[in-house]
Amino acid sequence: MELLIPAIILFTFMTAGTVVQSLSGIGFGMVAVPFLVAILGPAEGVLWGNIAGLTNALVMTFLKRRNINWKIFALMSGGALPLILIAIALQSFMSTAVLNLFVGALMLAMLLGSFFALRFPEINHPLFTIVNGSLAGFMSASVAQSGPVMAAYAQATRWKQEEFAATMQPIFIFFNIVAVPTKLAAGVEGNVLAAFGMSALTIFVGSVIARFLNVKPKSARKLALFIAFIGSSIVLWRGLQLTLLA
């Protein structure tokens, strides 16, 4: 019974994340990761987010492959690689309390940034794409949540939703296929088989649910931001509690 309730919570929010990502192209990490971190702890929770994000993006890439912009994929992935490795290195030096504070604060900061993205002027330059890829890679490795950065980039560049949703998927694959083995090699502990198993199950259930929902992509993205704000606040509060009790 002690394990059943956390398992139900994980299943619920991972499924919800899959539904949101199916509808809008982003959102799995924003919905699921704050609750993964709250239940499993910051290190293992983010690792689960990386594994689930990888599994989810593999399926989505196949379904949306015709609309992928491979030039943007190359620019963002190239810019992200060094920052992914730096983020993992930084995490290895942090205590659980500090890591909770870091993860919660960073998620909230990125969410706030995405709220103001609509006010950005239109920007279209390769350097801007590389910089955004770097920041998104850092976010993916540190908190398994690059969606807010990508949402802000899409708003600033006026990126069409269909191509945006498709191109995000191979980018997420690259981020996570670098982060997961690097974290495991660095000593981050986590039940990898359980993470893959839960991911596969929630992808199946979430994809079925998404087919029957008549929700606009922008509405799904807004819902993801709202849920992420709640989850990130929980993580940050947990970090403050651990810090005060230390």
Side-chain angles (χ1 to χ4, degrees):
M1 183 61 70
E2 291 182 1
L3 295 176
L4 180 60
I5 294 176
I8 292 173
I9 295 172
L10 290 178
F11 174 80
T12 300
F13 284 100
M14 288 176 72
T15 301
T18 298
V19 171
V20 172
Q21 184 147 328
S22 296
L23 295 170
S24 68
I26 61 171
F28 177 84
M30 291 189 289
V31 173
V33 171
F35 298 93
L36 289 171
V37 170
I39 293 172
L40 301 173
E44 186 175 2
V46 172
L47 177 64
W48 269 58
N50 290 135
I51 292 171
L54 171 60
T55 309
N56 206 315
L58 284 168
V59 176
M60 297 295 176
T61 296
F62 176 76
L63 296 176
K64 301 176 183 291
R65 61 192 182 278
R66 293 182 180 178
N67 295 310
I68 294 172
N69 185 322
W70 291 107
K71 180 181 178 181
I72 291 180
F73 164 77
L75 289 171
M76 284 198 170
S77 300
L81 182 58
L83 272 294
I84 292 173
L85 300 176
I86 289 172
I88 295 170
L90 286 174
Q91 285 184 322
S92 63
F93 296 103
M94 295 181 182
S95 65
T96 300
V98 173
L99 194 54
N100 268 285
L101 285 171
F102 173 75
V103 168
L106 195 55
M107 283 192 283
L108 284 174
M110 290 298 101
L111 287 169
L112 290 173
S114 66
F115 283 131
F116 290 104
L118 285 171
R119 301 181 183 180
F120 293 172
E122 184 173 355
I123 305 171
N124 280 293
H125 193 280
L127 182 59
F128 182 65
T129 303
I130 293 171
V131 170
N132 272 271
S134 299
L135 182 56
F138 183 86
M139 285 290 295
S140 179
S142 57
V143 294
Q145 203 181 105
S146 58
V149 180
M150 295 304 193
Y153 175 83
Q155 296 289 357
T157 59
R158 309 299 188 265
W159 202 356
K160 292 182 179 179
Q161 173 62 30
E162 193 173 55
E163 186 178 284
F164 163 75
T167 307
M168 287 302 97
Q169 308 316 311
I171 292 173
F172 292 152
I173 290 175
F174 179 81
F175 288 173
N176 292 310
I177 212 166
V178 173
V180 171
T182 305
K183 287 184 177 184
L184 293 174
V188 176
E189 296 181 355
N191 193 327
V192 176
L193 290 178
F196 273 116
M198 183 73 83
S199 300
L201 179 60
T202 55
I203 286 170
F204 174 75
V205 176
S207 298
V208 172
I209 293 173
R211 290 180 183 178
F212 293 96
L213 294 178
N214 185 23
V215 180
K216 294 180 180 180
K218 287 185 178 180
S219 299
R221 197 183 302 178
K222 289 179 180 178
L223 177 62
L225 291 171
F226 175 72
I227 296 173
F229 183 80
I230 295 172
S232 301
S233 300
I234 293 171
V235 174
L236 185 60
W237 174 245
R238 181 180 179 182
L240 288 170
Q241 285 182 314
L242 291 172
T243 302
L244 292 173
L245 292 173

